[in-house]
Amino acid sequence: MGDPFRVRVTVRGYELDTQGHLNQAVYLQYGEHARWECLRAAGIPQDRLLAGGVGPVALEVTLRYLRELRGGDEVDVSCEFRWGEGKTFQIVQDLTRPDGTPVATITGVGGLLDLASRRLVPDPRVRFRQLATDPEPMNL
């Protein structure tokens, strides 16, 4: 397993709150963006998921703020899938400045929903592997 997948985001002015720093909800949006980009890098764009009759779901998310971000700041958002047994998996995401300074961490539990039965698939790692053209970004 290599380094986690990463995507760089520049903080935009309209994402700031009245204190002049990144609005708290936008950290979660950055995490979501990195997760979708990770899936895309693995060869699983959203249309491929839908055609396969599945979709990722967030079951639990925890966000820990470490430092503020302000307009124009750049932040690298990682995305590391951690697989175990059963219907769920962990996602660990670190938000860091380009110099490596930690900004926030997002940890979560996810699953893969069968869109027909509306139930979690029994082994999401196997299903993602079937859909992926490049398993490396997702640690498959």
Side-chain angles (χ1 to χ4, degrees):
M1 181 168 57
D3 291 332
F5 176 85
R6 292 187 183 282
V7 63
R8 183 164 288 176
V9 179
T10 301
V11 176
R12 296 165 288 260
Y14 61 83
E15 297 171 326
L16 305 179
D17 62 17
T18 57
Q19 288 83 22
H21 56 243
L22 188 65
N23 178 280
Q24 51 89 21
V26 180
Y27 287 82
L28 293 173
Q29 292 173 344
Y30 286 3
E32 180 84 358
H33 172 66
R35 290 190 299 275
W36 280 108
E37 287 299 302
C38 184
L39 286 169
R40 196 167 63 82
I44 313 174
Q46 194 169 18
D47 60 345
R48 188 170 175 89
L49 286 165
L50 293 174
V54 294
V57 292
L59 303 171
E60 176 184 314
V61 178
T62 301
L63 173 56
R64 183 166 184 235
Y65 304 98
L66 303 171
R67 293 192 175 53
E68 73 175 351
L69 288 171
R70 300 179 61 86
D73 287 350
E74 291 185 324
V75 62
D76 293 324
V77 186
S78 70
C79 184
E80 181 182 354
F81 284 80
R82 295 185 181 171
W83 305 99
E85 302 297 320
K87 297 179 181 184
T88 63
F89 51 89
Q90 287 187 318
I91 300 175
V92 177
Q93 297 183 268
D94 294 312
L95 286 75
T96 56
R97 295 184 187 279
D99 68 4
T101 303
V103 173
T105 59
I106 302 171
T107 55
V109 176
L112 190 60
L113 187 70
D114 180 305
L115 299 176
S117 70
R118 309 307 287 180
R119 300 279 183 217
L120 294 178
V121 301
D123 190 338
R125 185 178 194 178
V126 168
R127 189 69 181 105
F128 274 127
R129 188 178 261 291
Q130 292 169 345
L131 292 167
T133 59
D134 179 1
E136 188 174 332
M138 295 179 65
N139 298 322
L140 295 167

